[in-house]
Amino acid sequence: MGTLESPYECVIFGGETLKSTLRLVLSFLLINFRDRFVFFMNIILPVIFLILFGSIFGKGGAQKPTTALYSDVNVKVGANFVRLANVPSKDEVKNLKYDVVIVAINNRIDVYVKSPIDLAQGEFEFFRLAYASAKSEKKVVEVREHKLNIGHSISELKYTILGVITISFLSIGLNAGVRIYSDYVRYGLFKRFSVTPIDPLRLALGVGSAQVITGLLSSALNVLLSLILFGENLFVPLNTLWAYLLVVIAAIMINLALGILLSLLFKKAAPSLSQLVFTIFIFFSGVYFPVSILPSYLRVVTYLTPPRYVHLLLQKIYGIETVNWSHFLLICIAFISFGAMMTGLATRKFLQMSDTA
Amino acid sequence: MPKVWFGRDLVVLDGLYKQLFLRSKEAIFWLVVFPTILFLILTSIFGNVEQNVTVKVAIIGESEILERAFSGIQQISPKFFPYSKKEKIKEYLKALERETFDVLVVLPEGFDAIYSRALLLRRTKFFKPVTVEVHYIPVRDGSKLAFEMVRGILDTLDVQDRVEMVIHNLSTRRVDYNNFIFPGVVGMAWLSVYLFGFMNDMLWLNRRKMIKRLSVSPFNLLKIYLFVAIVNLTSLVLGISILTFVAWLKGVDVVSYLPSLIFNSLISALVLTFLTLAVLVFENRSSAIVAFEQIFFQVQMFAGGFYFPLKQIPSFVQVVARFLPITYTVDSVRKVMGLNSIANNHYLVPLVYLLISISVVITGMKKFHKFEG
Amino acid sequence: MRKNLRTVLRVENLRKYYGSIKAVDGVSFIVEKGQLVSILGPNGAGKTTTIEIIEGLRTPDHGTIEYFGTFNTITNEVKERLGVCFQENFFFEELTVLETLKLYSSLYNRSLPLNEIITMFDLEESLKKRVRHLSGGQKQRLAVALAFVNDPELVLLDEPTVGLDPHARHHLWDVIKHFKSLGKSIILTTHYMDEAHQLSDMVYIMDSGKIIAWGSPQELITSSGLNAVIEFPATHAHLFEETVVTGDVAIISTPDAPGAIKRLLDVGVENFIVRHPTLEDVFLKLTGRRID
């Protein structure tokens, strides 16, 4: 192989250079799996979240009933109601282990609230409507339903599993960004690399690719565990595999960029700040509970968090019309470009001399 | 008899206090400020869930009867459009798809008149129900809920007033979600201080060879551990004080909580101090400990019923929760308000943890003193 | 300084100031093919700054560096031909020794067979160990080994033997000598006088950012005018005019060793040592203090 004339004239995919790029990818990948902290945050924590949240939202694991009901007509109610066979006496009401006991007889509804927490009054109002509806023998208004079909529905469990995968991407990208561009810079990795003829682009590619592969492996593990533990099939059909790969790359790259940004702005404080960002994003990204329950000012905040978009993109792959395809591609391309730009620029910056006393 | 307390102890304590707390912005943020921030976040997310969930209903057509019916229900925000707009139904359906509203109701022209006539003829053979078209998107939870509510209202326009509902509050107290979440956030603060504070401080002292340095001086190492625990207890007290003050501003009944809060904070501090020391006897590699901290923190926080009532979560998670000590101390704080999920024996599991941890620390003391990085 | 085709590195009038601190103050030297050049000096003399300017890690305020007779800046072609070992080294702690060697070797277009490196640096046993499990000495050996993976023409070793036990130090000297015999040029910074004496063709003595003397070890000693060196208890320092006292030892260098010995014996001093002068004595004479 001939010598190089300029530092940046390196061909990335050619002979020895390809081998060297692959070696870099492999090295960063091995670190992701061998370093206990990184391995835990990227692989184990998402699995723990999957088991925990999967159990909470999964089949048979739906919320335990909190309301006992006796009604003289058959009222359509949700899963948090348990029907009683007989009218409970006052003592029985007191002894029943439910937060609320409802007795509906002859157009009168008695709601016994046992929990001291203020419960949603809307729930009771909703029951009153349902009871009145069941009572009405001949309906004066006939409701003609028109279902507007805009795609498939998604179960709460699927929503959560996709949320867990989204968070694992956040963890992988963010931690890599901070670790490599804050910790490793301080420890002298870039100093060591800068005396070698390494091309910044090649190093950036090595960093990015290793994280993308980690993201693919971590998400594949979660998809597999979802099937084994909860019977939820999230395997992507072959014809949309491209979209899945695109989302993984986009998610990792945008989170990597976020980690790099923290490293550039906060230097030594970046690692602890990234943990704060991680924790806050879990709450704000609408990953574990629907954004619709957030107050409107917080709903705006969710749109500033990359995981919110990644979660929407992932849902799109599973047939939920969260965004249209052109927006899907636009977001992916924007995330990948921004991530690639940040990774490239930061790598180049840190490979240049560190001229301090 | 040897003197137990020397003036130099104060110097050491002062040094540790400055290094580990006062001059560590990170410690101050995570241990003192973050619990309050989390409390504010959680109460703003869950505190007013009901007010946040309002369904937007678009109605094409005029109807005073419906306006009246909708106005009685807080959760619905209706918007009426003149009947003439019916020609532009496609635009309205697009708006429905764009989530401008959750459900679209199309009334027949002169709904009120037709409805009143139908009501009169109800028991005759001339009765003909009034047909109302309702468009919604079943795959969207919000839209589905809106549809169910609108259907309920339309179904019961005639009988609604006849159904009487009486709410009996059997509990003597009435508390809001803020009161429920407060002990959960306190629990999170306990965990932060001991897992991310105390445990990391011990690791830091070890990594920087401070333990090694001190172990060759006549200074008793046990005192160092005690001092580090005291420093962290200070941050705990400070963090919980700020949190309690903010909670009081947000209407939490902190006066009722206070005695139980103090008692359970001390129990939790004791259990967590010895538990973390016991773990450090077995393992002192930084990366493994950080992993332990995260696992214990996340599992205890999410499975332990900190943010939602334990009795509502599935049995599997409850089993996990019942093996964790802080589940009980948080629940015990809630007991004063009758918000507990566990009926009794709040201190059995924490006590078992404490005894096992103490015996591990005592038997492993030698290994512990040979703290090597 | 003369220029010839064998010149691998030419450094001229290098200056690097940090505020009022003159880290490097007009340093010039050349390194020829197959030559081992030592830069000798106490801590803070400016050795590492000089080396890091050559490595391209710092920009000089003034001066020029010419690499391999052709390049005036550090290009990738220069880096291909350069081997580097820092004073403090960072490794990926979770990679094994073999993986680390493979990684760094893959960064260059040319490389030495890894087996050769492994045998030479005695890394066979630790090959499959992760770096974080290595001892300090093993890590240092790995750091030096990495400087040779690309079969470099010029190798910059910044304090390579710090932290090594005497056996490992001598082993590393042998390896360095072996590479020198292959025609490699080596720049070595050290504050071990014996190391510089044993290995160097040329020694540059640095102090406070300046080169205060240069030449082969023997030339330095000869030109310093030092003859026999006598060490005796400092309590008798007053016996001679040009005595240098370090601690409780007094040192003189004299052309008349028998005369000096007689004077010592006359006053009853019997515990003295007479020896050949070393580079340490040269440094002592030049600066009035010991190197460490």
Side-chain angles (χ1 to χ4, degrees):
Chain A
M1 181 118 188
T3 51
L4 302 165
E5 284 181 1
S6 111
Y8 305 119
E9 243 181 48
C10 191
V11 185
I12 293 172
F13 296 110
E16 287 297 307
T17 336
L18 172 66
K19 217 170 118 188
S20 143
T21 311
L22 289 178
R23 175 55 64 182
L24 274 167
V25 175
L26 180 69
S27 300
F28 282 110
L29 198 59
L30 285 173
I31 292 161
N32 278 356
F33 284 87
R34 286 181 186 167
D35 183 296
R36 278 161 207 254
F37 173 72
V38 175
F39 180 71
F40 170 76
M41 289 299 283
N42 295 350
I43 311 289
I44 303 296
L45 191 63
V47 169
I48 290 176
F49 275 160
L50 182 85
I51 295 170
L52 266 184
F53 289 98
S55 306
I56 292 172
F57 300 111
K59 65 170 182 189
Q63 286 212 336
K64 288 209 157 186
T66 53
T67 307
L69 163 72
Y70 178 82
S71 167
D72 56 359
V73 281
N74 190 13
V75 187
K76 250 175 87 179
V77 284
N80 62 332
F81 282 76
V82 163
R83 286 174 205 276
L84 299 173
N86 301 305
V87 184
S89 67
K90 283 207 169 162
D91 279 345
E92 279 171 331
V93 168
K94 277 182 190 159
N95 293 331
L96 281 169
K97 285 182 177 173
Y98 297 98
D99 289 341
V100 180
V101 179
I102 297 178
V103 179
I105 308 169
N106 297 332
N107 289 342
R108 179 188 160 98
I109 302 170
D110 285 294
V111 180
Y112 300 95
V113 182
K114 298 171 64 185
S115 160
I117 308 178
D118 275 342
L119 294 163
Q121 300 290 316
E123 285 263 318
F124 305 148
E125 190 56 45
F126 195 64
F127 176 78
R128 192 163 82 108
L129 289 174
Y131 178 75
S133 172
K135 271 275 175 185
S136 135
E137 301 134 18
K138 206 169 193 180
K139 292 195 169 65
V140 183
V141 178
E142 183 194 43
V143 173
R144 196 172 290 167
E145 253 180 82
H146 295 275
K147 292 181 183 175
L148 202 59
N149 284 319
I150 54 157
H152 308 286
S153 67
I154 190 167
S155 65
E156 242 181 309
L157 177 61
K158 261 189 186 162
Y159 183 94
T160 309
I161 295 170
L162 294 182
V164 170
I165 293 174
T166 304
I167 289 299
S168 77
F169 293 154
L170 171 69
S171 173
I172 294 166
L174 194 66
N175 281 323
V178 168
R179 209 171 173 77
I180 296 167
Y181 295 93
S182 170
D183 289 354
Y184 288 180
V185 166
R186 266 185 295 137
Y187 300 154
L189 167 79
F190 282 86
K191 185 176 166 187
R192 187 66 190 79
F193 276 151
S194 67
V195 295
T196 72
I198 193 168
D199 183 81
L201 206 59
R202 197 152 36 110
L203 182 55
L205 196 73
V207 169
S209 310
Q211 311 317 319
V212 168
I213 294 171
T214 310
L216 281 172
L217 293 173
S218 170
S219 60
L221 177 69
N222 281 312
V223 165
L224 190 70
L225 282 176
S226 307
L227 184 68
I228 296 169
L229 297 175
F230 307 113
E232 193 71 68
N233 187 350
L234 281 161
F235 283 98
V236 185
L238 276 179
N239 58 350
T240 46
L241 199 59
W242 64 271
Y244 185 76
L245 290 174
L246 202 63
V247 172
V248 177
I249 299 172
I252 296 290
M253 291 313 285
I254 190 70
N255 292 319
L256 187 63
L258 191 71
I260 293 172
L261 216 56
L262 288 178
S263 303
L264 290 174
L265 294 176
F266 301 100
K267 298 188 173 75
K268 245 175 131 175
S272 52
L273 213 69
S274 73
Q275 294 299 312
L276 174 70
V277 168
F278 182 72
T279 312
I280 293 202
F281 277 15
I282 288 184
F283 284 109
F284 278 127
S285 56
V287 160
Y288 291 135
F289 39 80
V291 172
S292 59
I293 71 161
L294 292 177
S296 54
Y297 69 94
L298 280 182
R299 262 179 248 177
V300 179
V301 177
T302 65
Y303 284 98
L304 298 174
T305 65
R308 167 95 175 103
Y309 295 91
V310 174
H311 198 213
L312 291 176
L313 297 178
L314 275 177
Q315 289 180 66
K316 171 75 181 174
I317 296 169
Y318 292 94
I320 320 304
E321 278 306 309
T322 46
V323 285
N324 60 36
W325 281 112
S326 54
H327 282 141
F328 176 93
L329 289 175
L330 197 73
I331 296 172
C332 284
I333 290 167
F335 279 10
I336 294 171
S337 316
F338 185 65
M341 188 186 78
M342 286 301 295
T343 316
L345 287 179
T347 308
R348 202 166 156 168
K349 173 187 157 65
F350 290 123
L351 275 182
Q352 281 165 4
M353 51 191 87
S354 52
D355 207 353
T356 46
Chain B
M1 202 178 138
K3 256 163 87 181
V4 182
W5 189 264
F6 294 99
R8 69 173 183 219
D9 287 351
L10 280 178
V11 179
V12 174
L13 182 60
D14 178 57
L16 286 171
Y17 190 69
K18 282 177 182 151
Q19 170 67 43
L20 302 177
F21 182 63
L22 274 187
R23 293 180 188 164
S24 162
K25 284 180 208 145
E26 262 178 50
I28 291 192
F29 179 79
W30 279 104
L31 310 181
V32 179
V33 184
F34 186 66
T36 302
I37 294 180
L38 186 70
F39 177 73
L40 292 173
I41 291 175
L42 288 173
T43 51
S44 68
I45 292 177
F46 298 111
N48 303 309
V49 168
E50 204 177 329
Q51 281 165 23
N52 297 327
V53 182
T54 51
V55 296
K56 287 168 283 179
V57 182
I59 305 121
I60 300 180
E62 297 87 357
S63 163
E64 279 177 23
I65 298 174
L66 268 185
E67 267 182 58
R68 258 201 316 278
F70 282 137
S71 68
I73 296 165
Q74 263 188 355
Q75 289 75 26
I76 290 186
S77 121
K79 197 166 183 188
F80 285 85
F81 298 93
Y83 184 73
S84 55
K85 300 280 183 191
K86 197 181 169 186
E87 289 162 16
K88 294 182 177 171
I89 182 110
K90 278 194 178 162
E91 285 176 27
Y92 282 84
L93 288 173
K94 279 268 172 238
L96 177 63
E97 211 177 312
R98 282 197 308 270
E99 286 185 83
T100 313
F101 34 80
D102 300 303
V103 66
L104 174 65
V105 179
V106 184
L107 301 176
E109 197 170 6
F111 173 82
D112 284 1
I114 304 172
Y115 175 77
S116 305
R117 194 162 55 236
L119 205 57
L120 281 173
L121 297 173
R122 191 179 188 183
R123 298 194 189 281
T124 70
K125 60 179 178 179
F126 302 106
F127 170 71
K128 202 175 152 213
V130 187
T131 308
V132 173
E133 319 268 342
V134 184
H135 301 262
Y136 73 107
I137 300 170
V139 296
R140 283 191 193 141
D141 288 342
S143 185
K144 207 169 149 189
L145 177 74
F147 169 72
E148 293 292 345
M149 291 186 96
V150 167
R151 180 158 72 179
I153 292 167
L154 291 171
D155 273 357
T156 58
L157 270 181
D158 55 329
V159 289
Q160 239 198 84
D161 299 339
R162 273 191 273 145
V163 176
E164 186 194 358
M165 183 162 72
V166 184
I167 296 174
H168 312 268
N169 283 320
L170 298 187
S171 167
T172 47
R173 287 173 192 272
R174 297 258 33 92
V175 291
D176 57 9
Y177 179 79
N178 294 4
N179 270 285
F180 174 79
I181 198 72
F182 173 65
V185 180
V186 169
M188 201 279 309
W190 295 336
L191 291 178
S192 296
V193 166
Y194 284 93
L195 291 171
F196 302 128
F198 181 68
M199 215 172 184
N200 280 355
D201 288 346
M202 296 301 289
L203 272 182
W204 183 86
L205 288 169
N206 177 41
R207 207 172 49 237
R208 294 292 168 102
K209 310 285 180 207
M210 294 288 284
I211 302 266
K212 195 173 172 184
R213 180 67 194 79
L214 289 163
S215 65
V216 295
S217 78
F219 200 85
N220 189 344
L221 271 188
L222 277 179
K223 275 191 193 166
I224 292 291
Y225 310 144
L226 179 72
F227 290 173
V228 178
I230 290 174
V231 169
N232 280 285
L233 195 65
T234 319
S235 46
L236 181 69
V237 170
L238 210 61
I240 292 185
S241 304
I242 295 173
L243 172 65
T244 308
F245 177 69
V246 173
W248 175 71
L249 291 179
K250 295 273 280 182
V252 174
D253 184 2
V254 292
V255 178
S256 303
Y257 270 134
L258 211 55
S260 170
L261 183 72
I262 294 171
F263 179 69
N264 282 294
S265 293
L266 291 175
I267 299 284
S268 304
L270 200 64
V271 172
L272 287 171
T273 303
F274 279 96
L275 176 65
T276 47
L277 283 177
V279 173
L280 286 168
V281 166
F282 287 110
E283 177 68 72
N284 61 23
R285 269 171 302 173
S286 163
S287 55
I289 289 300
V290 174
F292 164 80
E293 289 168 0
Q294 285 285 349
I295 290 187
F296 192 79
F297 182 76
Q298 303 283 358
V299 172
Q300 173 69 83
M301 189 168 64
F302 283 111
F306 282 21
Y307 306 134
F308 35 79
L310 192 63
K311 57 187 170 191
Q312 280 181 21
I313 58 178
S315 324
F316 162 71
V317 186
Q318 279 203 35
V319 171
V320 176
R322 281 178 181 263
F323 277 102
L324 302 169
I326 306 304
T327 308
Y328 293 88
T329 43
V330 167
D331 201 68
S332 173
V333 178
R334 285 187 175 138
K335 203 175 173 185
V336 272
M337 293 278 193
L339 296 169
N340 54 314
S341 295
I342 300 165
N344 41 35
N345 276 341
H346 276 89
Y347 297 107
L348 184 66
V349 173
L351 192 70
V352 170
Y353 265 89
L354 185 63
L355 290 178
I356 294 176
S357 304
I358 289 178
S359 18
V360 169
V361 173
I362 290 171
T363 50
M365 192 64 86
K366 271 191 180 165
K367 190 178 174 230
F368 193 53
H369 278 193
K370 279 180 192 156
F371 228 96
E372 281 168 6
Chain C
M1 285 181 203
R2 62 213 151 80
K3 173 167 182 168
N4 79 38
L5 289 173
R6 289 170 48 85
T7 302
V8 175
L9 183 80
R10 172 187 295 277
V11 174
E12 265 178 45
N13 202 18
L14 217 55
R15 269 188 233 152
K16 181 76 185 173
Y17 296 171
Y18 293 106
S20 58
I21 302 165
K22 294 177 176 177
V24 178
D25 192 16
V27 165
S28 303
F29 62 90
I30 56 169
V31 180
E32 296 195 344
K33 191 170 161 54
Q35 204 177 35
L36 195 149
V37 168
S38 288
I39 304 179
L40 194 67
N43 290 332
K47 306 187 297 281
T48 299
T49 309
T50 306
I51 288 284
E52 290 195 345
I53 292 172
I54 299 169
E55 288 162 354
L57 292 170
R58 293 173 193 268
T59 34
D61 295 334
H62 183 84
T64 54
I65 304 172
E66 188 188 86
Y67 303 89
F68 308 110
T70 325
F71 303 93
N72 291 318
T73 53
I74 186 139
T75 60
N76 273 0
E77 187 169 1
V78 172
K79 289 179 182 177
E80 282 285 351
R81 297 156 74 177
L82 211 62
V84 170
C85 169
F86 296 130
Q87 201 171 342
E88 276 178 46
N89 289 282
F90 170 83
F91 302 98
F92 288 114
E93 299 269 305
E94 302 301 334
L95 295 188
T96 64
V97 169
L98 183 61
E99 286 161 352
T100 306
L101 287 168
K102 279 184 178 170
L103 171 67
Y104 281 94
S105 156
S106 78
L107 301 177
Y108 297 90
N109 286 329
R110 56 182 195 181
S111 57
L112 274 184
L114 286 185
N115 285 343
E116 220 172 280
I117 296 273
I118 291 161
T119 321
M120 214 172 290
F121 287 91
D122 207 8
L123 291 167
E124 290 97 337
E125 280 182 19
S126 51
L127 220 48
K128 294 211 166 139
K129 268 195 199 171
R130 290 197 198 169
V131 172
R132 71 181 165 93
H133 292 137
L134 297 182
S135 68
Q138 285 172 320
K139 273 190 190 170
Q140 192 58 26
R141 282 214 301 276
L142 176 61
V144 181
L146 290 183
F148 290 93
V149 285
N150 57 323
D151 193 15
E153 290 165 49
L154 172 64
V155 187
L156 306 163
L157 304 173
D158 196 359
E159 308 268 9
T161 56
V162 168
L164 293 184
D165 60 55
H167 171 75
R169 253 179 92 201
H170 285 98
H171 178 250
L172 194 60
W173 289 0
D174 290 341
V175 175
I176 291 171
K177 281 178 192 161
H178 169 75
F179 277 105
K180 202 182 115 184
S181 72
L182 296 176
K184 312 284 179 201
S185 310
I186 296 165
I187 302 179
L188 178 84
T189 75
T190 180
H191 58 262
Y192 296 126
M193 300 291 172
D194 55 340
E195 191 164 287
H197 200 141
Q198 278 275 329
L199 299 173
S200 316
D201 299 308
M202 195 71 171
V203 176
Y204 289 85
I205 299 180
M206 261 187 106
D207 191 35
S208 307
K210 287 185 162 73
I211 288 177
I212 53 172
W214 67 90
S216 71
Q218 204 45 55
E219 272 170 13
L220 276 169
I221 293 165
T222 313
S223 64
S224 69
L226 296 174
N227 298 293
V229 174
I230 305 174
E231 290 181 17
F232 55 94
T235 44
H236 295 88
H238 60 277
L239 290 175
F240 305 95
E241 270 178 23
E242 287 181 2
T243 314
V244 179
V245 178
T246 59
D248 50 7
V249 179
I251 301 168
I252 55 156
S253 164
T254 172
D256 178 23
I261 292 167
K262 189 172 179 302
R263 280 179 77 181
L264 285 169
L265 289 171
D266 286 350
V267 293
V269 179
E270 289 180 353
N271 53 337
F272 55 83
I273 299 164
V274 184
R275 57 172 173 78
H276 287 295
T278 64
L279 285 174
E280 175 114 39
D281 301 312
V282 176
F283 188 82
L284 194 65
K285 185 182 177 206
L286 290 170
T287 64
R289 55 198 160 84
R290 278 181 185 272
I291 202 157
D292 44 10

